Amino acid sequence: MPTEPAALGDGAEAGPLGVLGGTFDPIHLGHLRLAEEAREALGLERVRMIPAGQPPHRGVPGSTADDRLAMAHLAITGNAGLEVDDGEVRAAQKSYTVLTLERLRAELGRQRPLVLILGADAFAGLPSWHRWTELFALAHIAVANRPGYAPHGRRWPAVLSPALDAACRDRITNDPAALRHRPAGRVIPFDMTPLAISASLIRDLLRGGHSARYLLPDAVLDYIDLHNLYR
Ligand code: ATP
């Protein structure tokens, strides 16, 4: 197993912080339930939602980074367990998760457990991410099921590529308590309420003149209407 940070001493009191990045184009109830259910199921103190400024793995988003950031703020209003981080939107370079986790480490210290939350589709693509093998030294990784994502008819962890499988095999745990004992390095699958909602579905509906109501918060939909986004 690759090197990972030492076990926590008695001094590390703060609970694990969840980290949920995404293009959030727009943010929807799938993202919000992912954050909320990860927080509960994994005992996270809070979940930090981090909209990507310039997502490296896809084309230009359908709305600006500032709009996506504003929608994320609207979406979490009233939920003290969630927060929004504008670091990737403000950064001049592409939004690489490894850089964001390095920034969070500098901000929060070496001992604070960080939990990178990913849907199964994002997790499967991990080997294409910038400096991906370094992510395990920076954070734990929590992987949620995602409806429609079951290549070869099988669900994770049966579908890992050989490289990802080799990187994860010795790290997998089903015990959320394991996330508190170290700052980083474990991989934990968890089940969330299956929600077959995606931002692309919402963009398609809006582009086609259809209703996207009840797939995303009303406040976000109002913002989309007000600014005439995705038409
Ligand atoms: P798009 O349809 O534009 O590709 P998306 O809905 O997948 O967007 P992203 O912002 O790319 O949204 O996703 C951010 C993170 O949220 C990823 O880890 C993704 O797997 C996860 N995610 C998004 N929607 C869901 C969902 N309905 N259930 C579980 N995870 C989700």
Side-chain angles (χ1 to χ4, degrees):
M1 189 154 133
T3 40
E4 38 179 72
L8 292 184
D10 289 340
E13 272 76 35
L17 177 74
V19 177
L20 174 51
T23 311
F24 301 142
D25 187 27
I27 193 164
H28 55 69
L29 298 187
H31 298 129
L32 293 164
R33 282 305 297 181
L34 176 61
E36 185 75 352
E37 295 196 27
R39 193 175 63 74
E40 274 207 308
L42 307 177
L44 309 178
E45 198 165 284
R46 305 187 86 196
V47 175
R48 194 178 282 205
M49 319 283 286
I50 310 185
Q54 306 171 46
H57 294 288
R58 50 196 293 156
V60 179
S63 60
T64 66
D66 283 334
D67 280 332
R68 291 181 288 105
L69 182 65
M71 290 188 280
H73 277 292
L74 289 169
I76 66 151
T77 300
N79 186 344
L82 306 183
E83 59 193 38
V84 172
D85 180 317
D86 68 357
E88 292 190 5
V89 168
R90 301 286 164 241
Q93 81 272 42
K94 287 198 171 175
S95 304
Y96 293 117
T97 299
V98 68
L99 301 182
T100 297
L101 292 177
E102 286 175 341
R103 172 172 61 82
L104 294 182
R105 273 277 157 244
E107 179 190 323
L108 301 166
R110 291 180 58 235
Q111 299 289 62
R112 178 81 182 268
L114 297 177
V115 182
L116 178 65
I117 302 165
L118 299 173
D121 58 314
F123 180 65
L126 212 64
S128 68
W129 290 21
H130 185 51
R131 294 168 50 199
W132 72 278
T133 55
E134 295 173 47
L135 297 173
F136 301 99
L138 290 162
H140 302 294
I141 299 182
V143 187
N145 55 302
R146 185 161 185 188
Y149 185 75
H152 318 298
R154 293 175 298 168
R155 284 183 51 186
W156 188 78
V159 293
L160 297 187
S161 66
L164 193 51
D165 181 54
C168 291
R169 198 175 307 131
D170 297 335
R171 303 181 179 280
I172 294 172
T173 179
N174 289 304
D175 179 10
L179 306 179
R180 308 185 78 85
H181 299 148
R182 288 179 176 277
R186 307 307 299 263
V187 174
I188 186 165
F190 72 101
D191 280 323
M192 65 173 279
T193 307
L195 291 169
I197 302 173
S198 66
S200 19
L201 167 71
I202 292 169
R203 293 194 302 275
D204 286 348
L205 287 171
L206 295 172
R207 205 175 297 122
H210 300 290
S211 166
R213 205 165 176 193
Y214 309 132
L215 297 174
L216 67 176
D218 285 346
V220 175
L221 199 50
D222 290 345
Y223 184 97
I224 289 170
D225 288 340
L226 186 66
H227 294 85
N228 204 23
L229 305 180
Y230 307 117
R231 308 291 178 195

